[in-house]
Protein backbone atom coordinates (compact mmCIF):
# COMPACT_ATOMS: atom_id res chain seq x y z
CA UNK A 1 0.00 0.00 0.00
CA UNK A 2 2.91 2.31 0.62
CA UNK A 3 3.90 2.21 -3.05
CA UNK A 4 0.37 3.09 -4.10
CA UNK A 5 0.29 6.11 -1.84
CA UNK A 6 3.73 7.63 -2.14
CA UNK A 7 7.21 6.66 -3.18
CA UNK A 8 9.63 7.85 -0.59
CA UNK A 9 12.44 9.85 -2.16
CA UNK A 10 14.34 13.00 -1.30
CA UNK A 11 12.30 16.06 -2.34
CA UNK A 12 14.77 17.19 -4.98
CA UNK A 13 12.34 18.20 -7.74
CA UNK A 14 11.98 21.70 -6.34
CA UNK A 15 15.65 22.55 -6.93
CA UNK A 16 15.88 25.06 -9.81
CA UNK A 17 19.12 23.53 -11.06
CA UNK A 18 17.56 20.09 -11.38
CA UNK A 19 14.49 21.47 -13.15
CA UNK A 20 16.45 23.80 -15.47
CA UNK A 21 16.68 21.41 -18.48
CA UNK A 22 12.95 20.75 -18.33
CA UNK A 23 12.08 24.43 -18.03
CA UNK A 24 14.45 25.50 -20.79
CA UNK A 25 13.04 22.82 -23.07
CA UNK A 26 9.52 23.91 -22.21
CA UNK A 27 10.28 27.55 -23.00
CA UNK A 28 11.82 26.57 -26.32
CA UNK A 29 8.83 24.48 -27.37
CA UNK A 30 6.29 27.10 -26.38
CA UNK A 31 8.33 29.86 -28.06
CA UNK A 32 8.18 27.84 -31.26
CA UNK A 33 4.42 27.56 -30.91
CA UNK A 34 4.02 31.30 -30.40
CA UNK A 35 6.32 32.09 -33.33
CA UNK A 36 4.35 29.86 -35.71
CA UNK A 37 1.11 31.37 -34.42
CA UNK A 38 2.40 34.89 -35.02
CA UNK A 39 3.48 34.08 -38.59
CA UNK A 40 0.29 32.21 -39.42
CA UNK A 41 -1.92 34.95 -37.99
CA UNK A 42 -0.03 37.69 -39.80
CA UNK A 43 -0.46 35.85 -43.09
CA UNK A 44 -4.22 35.80 -42.46
CA UNK A 45 -4.38 39.43 -41.37
CA UNK A 46 -5.15 38.57 -37.75
CA UNK A 47 -3.51 39.50 -34.47
CA UNK A 48 -1.95 36.57 -32.66
CA UNK A 49 -2.02 38.53 -29.41
CA UNK A 50 -5.76 39.11 -29.76
CA UNK A 51 -6.30 35.41 -30.31
CA UNK A 52 -4.36 34.69 -27.11
CA UNK A 53 -5.92 37.33 -24.87
CA UNK A 54 -9.25 38.59 -26.21
CA UNK A 55 -11.18 35.66 -27.65
CA UNK A 56 -13.51 33.02 -26.26
CA UNK A 57 -13.17 32.38 -22.49
CA UNK A 58 -10.38 34.93 -22.15
CA UNK A 59 -12.95 37.66 -22.78
CA UNK A 60 -15.16 36.36 -20.02
CA UNK A 61 -12.31 36.27 -17.52
CA UNK A 62 -11.34 39.83 -18.45
CA UNK A 63 -14.91 41.05 -17.94
CA UNK A 64 -15.00 39.47 -14.50
CA UNK A 65 -11.69 41.15 -13.64
CA UNK A 66 -12.87 44.56 -14.87
CA UNK A 67 -16.55 44.60 -13.92
CA UNK A 68 -17.04 41.81 -11.41
CA UNK A 69 -19.77 39.21 -11.54
CA UNK A 70 -23.29 39.76 -12.82
CA UNK A 71 -22.75 39.97 -16.59
CA UNK A 72 -24.79 37.58 -18.74
CA UNK A 73 -25.82 37.05 -22.34
CA UNK A 74 -29.28 35.81 -23.29
CA UNK A 75 -29.29 33.85 -26.53
CA UNK A 76 -32.23 33.64 -28.97
CA UNK A 77 -32.85 30.00 -28.03
CA UNK A 78 -33.38 30.97 -24.39
CA UNK A 79 -29.99 29.93 -23.04
CA UNK A 80 -28.39 32.28 -20.53
CA UNK A 81 -24.60 32.56 -20.48
CA UNK A 82 -23.64 33.99 -17.10
CA UNK A 83 -20.11 34.88 -16.06
CA UNK A 84 -20.82 33.16 -12.74
CA UNK A 85 -19.75 30.00 -14.55
CA UNK A 86 -16.13 31.19 -14.39
CA UNK A 87 -14.27 30.59 -11.16
CA UNK A 88 -12.63 33.67 -9.63
CA UNK A 89 -8.92 33.05 -9.01
CA UNK A 90 -7.65 33.99 -12.48
CA UNK A 91 -9.77 37.19 -12.67
CA UNK A 92 -8.60 38.13 -9.17
CA UNK A 93 -4.97 37.79 -10.23
CA UNK A 94 -5.64 39.77 -13.41
CA UNK A 95 -7.20 42.57 -11.41
CA UNK A 96 -4.38 42.67 -8.86
CA UNK A 97 -1.65 42.69 -11.50
CA UNK A 98 -3.44 45.37 -13.52
CA UNK A 99 -3.79 47.49 -10.36
CA UNK A 100 -0.07 47.42 -9.56
CA UNK A 101 1.25 47.72 -13.13
CA UNK A 102 0.49 49.57 -16.36
CA UNK A 103 -0.99 46.38 -17.84
CA UNK A 104 -4.63 46.04 -18.77
CA UNK A 105 -6.59 43.13 -17.33
CA UNK A 106 -6.27 41.29 -20.64
CA UNK A 107 -2.50 41.85 -20.65
CA UNK A 108 -2.34 40.73 -17.03
CA UNK A 109 -4.18 37.52 -17.91
CA UNK A 110 -1.56 36.75 -20.56
CA UNK A 111 1.29 37.38 -18.12
CA UNK A 112 -0.35 35.28 -15.41
CA UNK A 113 -0.82 32.40 -17.83
CA UNK A 114 2.78 32.54 -19.04
CA UNK A 115 4.13 32.52 -15.49
CA UNK A 116 1.65 29.85 -14.43
CA UNK A 117 2.63 27.65 -17.36
CA UNK A 118 6.25 27.75 -16.18
CA UNK A 119 5.12 26.92 -12.65
CA UNK A 120 3.04 24.07 -14.05
CA UNK A 121 5.98 22.72 -16.04
CA UNK A 122 8.15 22.84 -12.92
CA UNK A 123 5.46 21.07 -10.89
CA UNK A 124 5.05 18.36 -13.52
CA UNK A 125 8.81 17.85 -13.48
CA UNK A 126 8.82 17.58 -9.68
CA UNK A 127 6.06 14.96 -9.68
CA UNK A 128 7.51 12.93 -12.55
CA UNK A 129 11.02 13.00 -11.08
CA UNK A 130 9.67 11.85 -7.74
CA UNK A 131 7.96 8.88 -9.39
CA UNK A 132 10.29 7.91 -12.25
CA UNK A 133 13.51 9.92 -11.99
CA UNK A 134 14.95 13.10 -13.43
CA UNK A 135 15.16 12.07 -17.07
CA UNK A 136 11.52 11.02 -17.09
CA UNK A 137 10.68 14.33 -15.43
CA UNK A 138 12.23 16.27 -18.29
CA UNK A 139 10.41 14.10 -20.83
CA UNK A 140 7.08 14.57 -19.05
CA UNK A 141 7.40 18.36 -19.25
CA UNK A 142 8.31 18.25 -22.93
CA UNK A 143 5.39 15.94 -23.71
CA UNK A 144 3.01 18.32 -21.94
CA UNK A 145 4.48 21.18 -23.97
CA UNK A 146 3.89 19.42 -27.32
CA UNK A 147 0.30 18.29 -26.80
CA UNK A 148 -1.87 19.17 -29.82
CA UNK A 149 -3.77 21.83 -27.84
CA UNK A 150 -0.73 23.04 -25.89
CA UNK A 151 -1.17 26.55 -27.31
CA UNK A 152 -3.87 26.96 -24.62
CA UNK A 153 -1.03 26.98 -22.07
CA UNK A 154 -0.03 30.38 -23.48
CA UNK A 155 -3.54 31.84 -23.59
CA UNK A 156 -5.28 33.97 -20.97
CA UNK A 157 -7.16 30.87 -19.87
CA UNK A 158 -7.17 29.13 -16.50
CA UNK A 159 -5.71 25.77 -17.58
CA UNK A 160 -2.08 26.71 -16.87
CA UNK A 161 -2.89 28.23 -13.50
CA UNK A 162 -4.96 25.22 -12.50
CA UNK A 163 -2.33 22.72 -13.64
CA UNK A 164 0.35 24.55 -11.67
CA UNK A 165 -1.70 24.47 -8.48
CA UNK A 166 -2.70 20.85 -9.03
CA UNK A 167 0.83 19.63 -9.80
CA UNK A 168 2.37 21.29 -6.76
CA UNK A 169 -0.47 20.12 -4.52
CA UNK A 170 0.09 16.56 -5.69
CA UNK A 171 3.84 16.91 -5.17
CA UNK A 172 3.20 18.20 -1.66
CA UNK A 173 1.05 15.14 -0.95
CA UNK A 174 3.71 12.79 -2.31
CA UNK A 175 6.36 14.36 -0.09
CA UNK A 176 4.26 14.66 3.05
CA UNK A 177 3.72 18.44 3.05
CA UNK A 178 0.08 18.19 4.02
CA UNK A 179 -0.76 21.81 4.82
CA UNK A 180 0.79 22.96 1.56
CA UNK A 181 -1.17 20.31 -0.30
CA UNK A 182 -4.46 21.36 1.30
CA UNK A 183 -3.87 25.06 0.69
CA UNK A 184 -2.99 24.56 -2.98
CA UNK A 185 -5.98 22.25 -3.42
CA UNK A 186 -8.22 24.99 -2.04
CA UNK A 187 -6.74 27.48 -4.53
CA UNK A 188 -7.18 24.97 -7.36
CA UNK A 189 -10.82 24.75 -6.33
CA UNK A 190 -11.11 28.50 -6.84
CA UNK A 191 -9.71 28.17 -10.36
CA UNK A 192 -11.80 25.57 -12.19
CA UNK A 193 -14.68 23.20 -11.39
CA UNK A 194 -12.29 20.30 -11.94
CA UNK A 195 -10.55 21.42 -8.77
CA UNK A 196 -12.61 18.60 -7.27
CA UNK A 197 -9.99 16.25 -8.72
CA UNK A 198 -7.27 17.77 -6.53
CA UNK A 199 -9.54 17.62 -3.50
CA UNK A 200 -10.25 13.96 -4.22
CA UNK A 201 -6.52 13.22 -4.49
CA UNK A 202 -5.77 14.88 -1.14
CA UNK A 203 -8.65 13.09 0.53
CA UNK A 204 -7.73 9.71 -0.96
CA UNK A 205 -4.14 10.08 0.23
CA UNK A 206 -5.23 11.29 3.66
CA UNK A 207 -7.77 8.53 4.26
CA UNK A 208 -5.34 5.87 3.03
CA UNK A 209 -2.66 7.21 5.35
CA UNK A 210 -4.99 7.08 8.34
CA UNK A 211 -6.11 3.53 7.51
CA UNK A 212 -2.56 2.35 6.89
CA UNK A 213 -1.24 3.80 10.11
CA UNK A 214 -4.16 2.38 12.07
CA UNK A 215 -3.51 -1.05 10.59
CA UNK A 216 0.20 -0.78 11.37
CA UNK A 217 -0.50 0.24 14.96
CA UNK A 218 -2.93 -2.66 15.43
CA UNK A 219 -0.45 -5.12 13.95
CA UNK A 220 2.32 -3.93 16.24
CA UNK A 221 0.00 -4.07 19.23
CA UNK A 222 -0.61 -7.72 18.41
CA UNK A 223 3.12 -8.38 18.43
CA UNK A 224 3.47 -7.70 22.15
CA UNK A 225 5.25 -10.59 23.71
CA UNK A 226 3.25 -12.55 26.31
CA UNK A 227 4.14 -11.88 29.92
CA UNK A 228 5.83 -14.84 31.60
CA UNK A 229 4.07 -15.96 34.79
CA UNK A 230 5.16 -13.92 37.78
CA UNK A 231 7.24 -11.52 35.68
CA UNK A 232 4.89 -8.56 36.22
CA UNK A 233 6.07 -6.72 33.08
CA UNK A 234 4.97 -6.53 29.46
CA UNK A 235 7.32 -6.44 26.48
CA UNK A 236 6.20 -3.80 24.00
CA UNK A 237 7.16 -3.48 20.37
CA UNK A 238 7.89 0.16 19.71
CA UNK A 239 10.69 2.53 19.04
CA UNK A 240 10.42 4.20 22.41
CA UNK A 241 9.82 1.21 24.62
CA UNK A 242 6.32 2.50 25.40
CA UNK A 243 3.20 2.10 23.32
CA UNK A 244 3.52 0.68 19.79
CA UNK A 245 4.74 3.15 17.19
CA UNK A 246 1.98 5.51 16.06
CA UNK A 247 1.88 8.64 13.94
CA UNK A 248 2.94 11.72 15.83
CA UNK A 249 0.04 13.92 16.85
CA UNK A 250 1.26 17.01 14.92
CA UNK A 251 1.49 14.95 11.70
CA UNK A 252 -2.03 13.63 12.20
CA UNK A 253 -3.33 17.12 12.87
CA UNK A 254 -1.63 18.52 9.75
CA UNK A 255 -3.12 15.79 7.62
CA UNK A 256 -6.59 16.37 9.04
CA UNK A 257 -6.26 20.12 8.51
CA UNK A 258 -5.19 19.54 4.90
CA UNK A 259 -8.29 17.46 4.29
CA UNK A 260 -10.42 20.22 5.77
CA UNK A 261 -8.69 22.95 3.79
CA UNK A 262 -8.75 21.20 0.40
CA UNK A 263 -12.46 21.58 -0.46
CA UNK A 264 -12.89 25.12 0.90
CA UNK A 265 -12.14 26.90 -2.37
CA UNK A 266 -14.60 25.03 -4.58
CA UNK A 267 -17.24 24.73 -1.88
CA UNK A 268 -16.96 28.41 -0.97
CA UNK A 269 -17.46 29.62 -4.53
CA UNK A 270 -20.31 27.21 -5.28
CA UNK A 271 -22.11 28.24 -2.09
CA UNK A 272 -21.56 31.92 -2.89
CA UNK A 273 -23.06 31.45 -6.35
CA UNK A 274 -25.99 29.64 -4.80
CA UNK A 275 -26.55 32.51 -2.40
CA UNK A 276 -26.27 35.11 -5.18
CA UNK A 277 -28.71 33.29 -7.43
CA UNK A 278 -31.08 32.43 -4.60
CA UNK A 279 -30.94 28.78 -5.58
CA UNK A 280 -28.81 27.47 -2.75
CA UNK A 281 -26.51 24.48 -3.42
CA UNK A 282 -27.93 23.96 -6.93
CA UNK A 283 -27.34 27.54 -8.03
CA UNK A 284 -24.04 26.80 -9.74
CA UNK A 285 -25.56 23.80 -11.53
CA UNK A 286 -28.27 26.12 -12.88
CA UNK A 287 -25.61 28.52 -14.13
CA UNK A 288 -23.80 25.68 -15.91
CA UNK A 289 -27.09 24.45 -17.36
CA UNK A 290 -27.47 27.85 -18.98
CA UNK A 291 -24.28 27.05 -20.88
CA UNK A 292 -25.63 23.55 -21.61
CA UNK A 293 -22.93 22.09 -19.39
CA UNK A 294 -23.62 19.14 -17.14
CA UNK A 295 -22.58 15.60 -16.27
CA UNK A 296 -24.52 12.81 -17.95
CA UNK A 297 -22.01 9.98 -17.77
CA UNK A 298 -20.91 10.50 -21.36
CA UNK A 299 -24.29 9.87 -23.05
CA UNK A 300 -24.30 13.14 -24.98
CA UNK A 301 -20.69 12.60 -26.04
CA UNK A 302 -21.53 9.07 -27.21
CA UNK A 303 -24.43 10.40 -29.30
CA UNK A 304 -22.16 13.08 -30.73
CA UNK A 305 -19.61 10.47 -31.82
CA UNK A 306 -22.31 8.15 -33.18
CA UNK A 307 -23.71 10.96 -35.31
CA UNK A 308 -20.31 11.30 -36.95
CA UNK A 309 -20.76 7.92 -38.61
CA UNK A 310 -23.87 8.95 -40.55
CA UNK A 311 -21.78 10.13 -43.51
CA UNK A 312 -18.40 9.21 -44.92
CA UNK A 313 -16.40 12.44 -44.45
CA UNK A 314 -17.50 12.88 -40.84
CA UNK A 315 -16.96 9.17 -40.14
CA UNK A 316 -13.22 9.81 -40.37
CA UNK A 317 -13.53 12.41 -37.63
CA UNK A 318 -15.61 9.98 -35.58
CA UNK A 319 -12.97 7.30 -35.96
CA UNK A 320 -10.29 9.78 -34.91
CA UNK A 321 -12.28 10.67 -31.79
CA UNK A 322 -12.65 7.00 -30.86
CA UNK A 323 -8.92 6.46 -31.31
CA UNK A 324 -8.19 9.47 -29.12
CA UNK A 325 -10.54 8.33 -26.35
CA UNK A 326 -9.13 4.83 -26.57
CA UNK A 327 -5.60 6.20 -26.19
CA UNK A 328 -6.59 8.20 -23.11
CA UNK A 329 -8.22 5.16 -21.50
CA UNK A 330 -5.25 2.98 -22.43
CA UNK A 331 -2.82 5.44 -20.86
CA UNK A 332 -4.80 5.42 -17.65
CA UNK A 333 -4.76 1.63 -17.55
CA UNK A 334 -0.99 1.69 -18.01
CA UNK A 335 -0.71 4.22 -15.16
CA UNK A 336 -2.54 1.77 -12.92
CA UNK A 337 -0.39 -1.15 -14.04
CA UNK A 338 2.77 0.84 -13.40
CA UNK A 339 1.49 1.44 -9.87
CA UNK A 340 1.54 5.20 -9.93
CA UNK A 341 1.00 6.68 -6.46
CA UNK A 342 -2.66 6.72 -5.46
CA UNK A 343 -3.02 10.55 -5.46
CA UNK A 344 -1.95 10.69 -9.12
CA UNK A 345 -4.33 7.90 -10.12
CA UNK A 346 -7.26 9.54 -8.35
CA UNK A 347 -6.49 12.98 -9.77
CA UNK A 348 -6.02 11.77 -13.35
CA UNK A 349 -9.07 9.54 -13.11
CA UNK A 350 -11.36 12.34 -11.94
CA UNK A 351 -10.05 14.84 -14.51
CA UNK A 352 -10.51 12.29 -17.29
CA UNK A 353 -13.99 11.27 -16.15
CA UNK A 354 -15.18 14.87 -15.86
CA UNK A 355 -13.77 15.72 -19.29
CA UNK A 356 -15.15 12.71 -21.17
CA UNK A 357 -18.46 12.33 -19.35
CA UNK A 358 -19.56 15.97 -19.34
CA UNK A 359 -22.28 17.14 -21.72
CA UNK A 360 -20.44 20.37 -22.53
CA UNK A 361 -19.30 21.50 -25.96
CA UNK A 362 -17.48 18.51 -27.37
CA UNK A 363 -14.75 20.48 -29.09
CA UNK A 364 -13.49 21.58 -25.67
CA UNK A 365 -12.71 18.06 -24.42
CA UNK A 366 -9.04 18.03 -25.51
CA UNK A 367 -8.57 21.30 -23.63
CA UNK A 368 -10.32 19.90 -20.57
CA UNK A 369 -7.88 16.98 -20.58
CA UNK A 370 -4.88 19.29 -20.60
CA UNK A 371 -4.42 19.23 -16.78
CA UNK A 372 -4.39 15.40 -16.71
CA UNK A 373 -0.58 15.29 -16.91
CA UNK A 374 -0.15 11.99 -14.97
CA UNK A 375 -1.45 10.26 -18.11
CA UNK A 376 1.78 11.35 -19.81
CA UNK A 377 4.06 9.59 -17.32
CA UNK A 378 4.05 6.19 -19.09
CA UNK A 379 5.02 7.92 -22.34
CA UNK A 380 7.63 9.99 -20.52
CA UNK A 381 9.13 6.86 -18.99
CA UNK A 382 9.31 5.16 -22.38
CA UNK A 383 10.80 8.26 -23.99
CA UNK A 384 13.40 8.58 -21.24
CA UNK A 385 14.72 5.13 -22.09
CA UNK A 386 15.61 6.14 -25.65
CA UNK A 387 18.93 7.61 -26.63
CA UNK A 388 19.08 11.36 -26.20
CA UNK A 389 19.41 11.96 -29.95
CA UNK A 390 16.41 9.79 -30.73
CA UNK A 391 14.20 11.28 -28.01
CA UNK A 392 15.19 14.79 -29.15
CA UNK A 393 14.21 13.90 -32.72
CA UNK A 394 10.83 12.60 -31.57
CA UNK A 395 10.08 15.63 -29.39
CA UNK A 396 11.29 18.05 -32.06
CA UNK A 397 9.07 16.53 -34.73
CA UNK A 398 6.01 16.50 -32.51
CA UNK A 399 6.76 20.08 -31.38
CA UNK A 400 6.64 21.31 -34.97
CA UNK A 401 3.38 19.47 -35.60
CA UNK A 402 1.90 20.86 -32.39
CA UNK A 403 2.95 24.42 -33.28
CA UNK A 404 1.37 24.18 -36.73
CA UNK A 405 -1.82 22.66 -35.40
CA UNK A 406 -2.07 25.27 -32.63
CA UNK A 407 -1.75 28.11 -35.15
CA UNK A 408 -4.30 26.50 -37.48
CA UNK A 409 -6.69 25.86 -34.59
CA UNK A 410 -6.61 29.38 -33.11
CA UNK A 411 -7.07 30.91 -36.53
CA UNK A 412 -10.05 28.63 -37.07
CA UNK A 413 -12.59 27.30 -34.62
CA UNK A 414 -10.32 27.86 -31.62
CA UNK A 415 -10.83 26.57 -28.08
CA UNK A 416 -14.38 27.10 -26.87
Amino acid sequence: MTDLLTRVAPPRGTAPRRAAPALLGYVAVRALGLLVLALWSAARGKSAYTLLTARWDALWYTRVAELGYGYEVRLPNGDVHSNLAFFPLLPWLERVLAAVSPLSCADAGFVVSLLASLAAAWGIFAVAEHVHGRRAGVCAVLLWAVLPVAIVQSMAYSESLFTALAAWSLYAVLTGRWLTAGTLAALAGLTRPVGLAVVAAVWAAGVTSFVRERSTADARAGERAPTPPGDGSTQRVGSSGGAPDAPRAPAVVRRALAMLLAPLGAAGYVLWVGHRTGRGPVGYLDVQAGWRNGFDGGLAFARFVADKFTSFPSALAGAGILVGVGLVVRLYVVCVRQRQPLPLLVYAGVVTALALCASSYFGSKPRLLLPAFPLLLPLALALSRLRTSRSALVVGGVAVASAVYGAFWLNGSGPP
Side-chain angles (χ1 to χ4, degrees), residues 49-70:
Y49 189 71
T50 298
L51 294 175
L52 293 170
T53 63
R55 294 287 303 277
W56 306 290
D57 287 5
L59 279 175
W60 287 90
Y61 283 119
T62 299
R63 288 193 185 105
V64 173
E66 293 175 343
L67 305 174
Y69 285 105

Side-chain angles (χ1 to χ4, degrees), residues 16 18-28 117-123 125 138 141-142:
R18 294 190 65 81
L23 297 180
L24 291 174
Y26 179 79
V27 170
S117 68
L118 283 174
W122 194 352
F125 170 81
V138 174
V141 171
L142 294 178

Side-chain angles (χ1 to χ4, degrees), residues 152-193:
V152 175
Q153 299 165 17
S154 302
M155 298 181 67
Y157 270 46
S158 61
E159 272 75 12
S160 290
L161 178 60
F162 174 78
T163 305
L165 294 168
W168 283 109
S169 179
L170 291 170
Y171 181 73
V173 169
L174 295 178
T175 54
R177 296 170 169 84
W178 287 100
L179 291 180
T180 299
T183 301
L184 293 175
L187 292 174
L190 283 171
T191 307
R192 296 186 61 79

